[in-house]
Structure formats: structure tokens, C-alpha cells
Amino acid sequence: MAPSGSLAVPLAVLVLLLWGPPWTHGRRSNVRVITDENWRELLEGDWMIEFYAPWCPACQNLQPEWESFAEWGEDLEVNVAKVDVTEQPGLSGRFIITALPTIYHCKDGEFRRYQGPRTKKDFINFISDKEWKSIEPVSSWFGPDSVLMSSMSALFQLSMWIRTCHNYFIEDLGLPVWGSYTIFALVTLLSGLLLGLCMIFVADCLCPSKRRRPQPYPSKKLSESVKPLKKVEEEQEADEEDVSEEEAERKEGTNKDFPQNAIRQRSLVMRLQFRS
């Protein structure tokens, strides 16, 4: 019995070392987890958000300080949250995360990037002393709720989906790398053709092409255009009549003068003969 009792104590100590003190189990973290589904909660209230990755050494060193700071969240009236960029690539693109860890402060929809020391004391002073007021907020054009950043988030999600499909083709289906690339190339080509056809269809519906058709002129316009032509023709006819009358008068005048001239010429001839 003695040997078994002597072994029980070391085993109990080993279990405590491996699992930790019993009062620590079931302890709830004060750090809230933000995902693509609930990220709009950040637009209301006071928040401190950490963007991290599990494999990042700097992020691992920051976790104890961040957890300790979260315990003061209720007293400081600030919500402490974190985002795993490996699980939420859309938020990584929405907030333009280029370095890890990245910390943002948000106050009623205005986002500011925290670039101070990463200790519990500095985080508390940043909120209690309202040091965030000295930092210029992110422009509305590049805010996480803007159209531009929403498009960026969709692109990041699409890239992650493509990567997941690529790994599935290679690891699960056993396809070669070039086979996976060929599939993506064909899908890209077909999707481009379908998108082009849809755009042409929409453009044709919104802005139909104008076909040349003979358009009949209104009767008013015809009558207005015919009247000047008739006037011109009447004037031309009147001018021709005047010219013809003048020519007739000239001819009559020449005809009347012709017998008189002939008589005069004959009388002159007779006089000359008589004198001779």
C-alpha cells in the first residue's frame, strides 16, 4: 500500500502542472473575437482591435498583455477584440493589414491606427488619457465600410477561395500542379466570356443602337417647303412671259418699220432714175 500512496502524490503534481490550477479552467476571456459576420459592431462604441496570426512570434508575445488589458475593458468602457487574419482574410483586406500584429482604435466608426508601445500600461493610458485624439483618423475613402475597402475584402476572400481549391485539387484529388492551373485558366476564360456577353446584353438594353429608317416629314413641313418652290417657279414663269412679250414687241416694231423703209428706198431709186 505504501508504494502506491507514494506514487499518487507525484502523479497528482504532474497532472496539475500539465493542466494548470483547477480555478483557471473554464475562465472566460474578455477579448471578443471579430469575424466577417459581426465586424459591423465595430462601427458603434469604443474599440481596441488587434489583428494577429497564430504563427506570428510578435503576436504570441503580445497575447498576455492584450488579455490583461482586456480585463480593464469594463472599467475603461472600451471593448477589446482580436481578429485572426488566417481565418478572416476578408477583414485583412478590408483594414489593409500589411504587418502583424496591427492594432486599431475605433470610436463611433472613426478608425485610428495605434503605433505606440505594446504594453498593458500603455494601452490603458491610451484610452484613459484619450491619446487617440491626437491621431488623424483613417480617410472615409479607405474606411472599412467604404465601397473601395468592401471590394478589397471581396478580392481577398476570392484569393483565399482560389487557394483552398488549388490545395484541394493537388492534395485531395491528386492532380498535378499544371492541371490545377489549367482548370483555373479555363474557368477564367469562360467567366470572362460570360461576363462580356452579360455586359453587352445590358448595354444593348440600356442604350439600344439607333437604326436608320426613312422618317416621313410632317405635312406642315412639306407644305412649308413646297410653298417657296411654287413661288420660285411662278416668278420664273413671270420673268419668261415678260421676256417673251418684250421680244414680241421688238419683232412687231421691226415689222412695222420694214414697209416704210422699203417705200422710202423705192422713192429714192425712182428719183435718181428720173434725174438721170
Side-chain angles (χ1 to χ4, degrees), residues 40-86:
R40 289 192 174 274
E41 296 179 5
L42 302 176
L43 302 178
E44 297 179 358
D46 200 356
W47 292 81
M48 287 286 284
I49 314 105
E50 175 205 5
F51 292 84
Y52 75 100
W55 48 263
C56 173
C59 300
Q60 296 172 3
N61 296 331
L62 178 61
Q63 291 309 308
E65 298 289 337
W66 198 251
E67 291 287 344
S68 300
F69 169 60
E71 295 176 358
W72 288 75
E74 186 175 355
D75 297 332
L76 297 171
E77 296 181 353
V78 63
N79 299 301
V80 182
K82 62 181 179 180
V83 178
D84 186 355
V85 295
T86 60

Side-chain angles (χ1 to χ4, degrees), residues 216-228:
Y217 291 97
S219 57
K220 292 182 179 180
K221 292 184 178 181
L222 283 173
S223 60
E224 291 176 357
S225 61
V226 168
K227 286 180 180 179

Side-chain angles (χ1 to χ4, degrees), residues 222-241:
L222 283 173
S223 60
E224 291 176 357
S225 61
V226 168
K227 286 180 180 179
L229 292 175
K230 288 183 178 180
K231 290 181 180 180
V232 172
E233 291 178 354
E234 290 176 356
E235 291 177 357
Q236 290 179 353
E237 291 178 357
D239 293 338
E240 291 178 356
E241 290 179 357

